[in-house]
Amino acid sequence: MQTNTYNTMAEALRQALREEMKRDERVILLGEDIGKFGGAYSITKGLLDEFGENRVLDTPISEIAIIGAALGSAISGLRPVVEIQYCDFLTCCMDQIVNQAAKTHLMFGGQMNVPMVIRAPLGVSGSRAAQHSQSLESWFAHIPGLKVVVPSNPYDAKGLLKSAIRDNNPVMFFEHKLLYGSKAPGDVGIQKKSEQSSVMESATDEDYTISLGKASIKKEGSDLTIIATMIMVHRCMDIANEFEKKGINIEIIDPRTIVPLDKNAILNSVKKTGRVLIVTEEYPRCNFASELVAIIVDEAFDYLDAPVKRINIMDTPIPFAPVCEKFVLPNKKRIVNAIEQLLQ
């Protein structure tokens, strides 16, 4: 029997939802235009016809109502998966997520679980401007009670989403818009799989899961460690492959989940290479990259041969103009310059 493969993240996510809905009738979907329209990025396309309107629910245009309904259904015994059209819109329902969903298990003495997943696309994706382009994952990593997932490829996305749905805790599941199936502008081709990397490994129709809290080494190396998330994994892989032609071996680590975090994989790599660059598409202040720096300095300082560097989006709202948008991103020039400084 031939095994089907899913070459885009959109296809892999759709298959994960379909498999979990078949496996467990308690899994339901909620979100704006996820039914007949199939979702803003077509992730839920066809699921309404397959599972019916009692399990694929089109909601009003109200993030507060969507998360409130999901929270109520989760504590009542269902396993809701919510789609928020842009991660920027999570600002409209922060009370429901931060003060309710994240704290319910503790406040009820462990007698009540909140098995819900909140999916949201994030990241710069071509002149969507300041209110539709942010990467806000570190906000939610700050809150005890929430798990935070940041997949970089179809295979990981499917396995991680299935694990998130089966988890009894609220999980924030972020998906970079440029990874759904299109190519990113500039210096990274998302659909091109490097011969030296499994970073774009296709998902399959097999029933597999990937544990939350387990990092992936996308490329092994001995001269420098790069820790990158989501689309920046691909950008850094391309750059690392260029450096390898010069005899410089760069290790690429994809955390895959930032809560829980696989500290051992990160620290072991740091101890091996002695040099670290962190690349994420976040604002620079108080972000996940900063937390990684603190962990490395606290727990692996004696192994460092150079200061830890990080590259993030510049400290400004995301501009609309394409040339300005490209300038503020962690682009190839900035990453290469940082690598060269670390290797001096």
Side-chain angles (χ1 to χ4, degrees), residues 127-179:
S127 296
R128 293 180 186 266
Q131 296 174 336
H132 298 76
S133 301
Q134 298 173 94
S135 295
L136 302 176
E137 62 270 29
S138 59
W139 281 12
F140 302 94
H142 183 68
I143 303 301
L146 298 177
K147 296 186 177 182
V148 184
V149 182
V150 287
S152 69
N153 63 81
Y155 185 86
D156 289 353
K158 179 182 176 181
L160 291 167
L161 181 55
K162 288 169 69 70
S163 290
I165 293 171
R166 299 181 191 187
D167 201 289
N168 285 327
N169 301 281
V171 179
M172 307 298 299
F173 196 97
F174 293 106
E175 305 151 9
H176 199 289
K177 295 187 283 287
L178 286 176
L179 292 176

Side-chain angles (χ1 to χ4, degrees), residues 23-74:
R23 189 187 69 88
D24 189 343
E25 64 181 9
R26 296 173 299 170
V27 178
I28 63 172
L29 310 183
L30 301 90
E32 299 169 17
D33 296 323
I34 66 167
K36 291 182 179 180
F37 187 67
Y41 291 91
S42 300
I43 305 303
T44 57
K45 186 177 181 180
L47 298 182
L48 174 64
D49 294 336
E50 189 170 352
F51 296 100
E53 60 184 11
N54 288 330
R55 296 185 67 192
V56 182
L57 292 86
D58 274 324
T59 65
I61 304 175
S62 171
E63 286 74 22
I64 293 176
I66 297 169
I67 301 301
L71 174 59
S73 65

